Amino acid sequence: MKALILAGGTGSRLRPLTHTAAKQLVPVANRPILFYGVEALVAAGVTDLGIVVGDTHREIRDAVGDGSAFGARVTYIRQHKPLGLAHAVRISRDFLGDDDFVMYLGDNFLVGGIAHIVDGFHRHAHDERPDAGILLTRVRNPSAFGVAELASDGRVARLEEKPEHPRSDLALVGVYLFTPAIHEAVAAITPSARGELEITDALQWLIDQGRSVTSTLVKGYWKDTGTVADLLEVNRTILEDLTPEAIGSVDDASVITGRVRIEPGARIVRSRIVGPAVIGADTLVADSYIGPCTSIADGCRIVHSELADSIVLTRSVIEGIGRIEASLIGRHVRVSRTDATDHPAAGRPHRLVLGDHSSVQITP
């Protein structure tokens, strides 16, 4: 079985961060979201991976490499324009051949992995195997997703992409299992009103042709990390299972409470850290408070500041800021005060979404 990982999207909902970075490489708990998907596939025994890439192909190639670091083999497939999930399948035909495959959206996160789902798909005898398998979960806002309608016997009866008036609250999770029958379907459909080849249309074509499309209800945690709020939520979820470890240095004037990981070369000076939280390698935290659900990446400098429930990317500097929460701060960012005093001013917390190489001064 092969896998097709989709990592060609532009990440428009995560701008300005994705003006300079691939959305699939935005880290949660200090690891790119894409890595969790790759590891889930390898854990399921799927190691022949095709990654569909777009304009950020060089960045993704640099991060993932040939896949050997994950125990996988990676083939890169260039999609010059994001024209839909079914289009990604169409351009990957040579790589996929006549093999069954998993399609995994590179910005999705699914707790518990997919090994049991892949095993269940393969448990069928070859002549009894469904032509496609989809994962579903109940959501409050189904109009934002592909939506499935099930027949009374549980079969998938109808699929629709982002319907204005959803027929159910069952949204498609970004993991699909396909036999080669899907290639006939993607060849038969035409672009939707959005100008894209929709995978929901391809699945509906299979249903209309009398082919078998089965569904599995996901009861655990799943998230499409398309927005800042989604990324912060996944960051909280992953940090809840954090294994505490202090490899860096913590001085006697500092207090570490709860599950906190301090990476090599990090220095905690006269500060308090309340987990779950991770402090990246070679980061300095001095005279500061780091609250729960915070991930600070490598090489950062946090001085006379407070942070909580936030993600800070590499080489960023935060100095003299009273409190930052529910924020996403990009790479090489500087956040400071307009005055020169050391001690942060009290006041309402700041909520920031800053792209790479930003410089922000906050008035006390």
Side-chain angles (χ1 to χ4, degrees), residues 166-178:
R167 294 171 178 263
S168 82
D169 62 351
L170 294 171
L172 275 76
V173 172
V175 180
Y176 307 78
L177 297 101
F178 292 122

Side-chain angles (χ1 to χ4, degrees), residues 58-69:
R58 290 187 180 88
E59 188 180 359
I60 291 174
R61 286 173 188 265
D62 289 344
V64 179
D66 64 1
S68 58

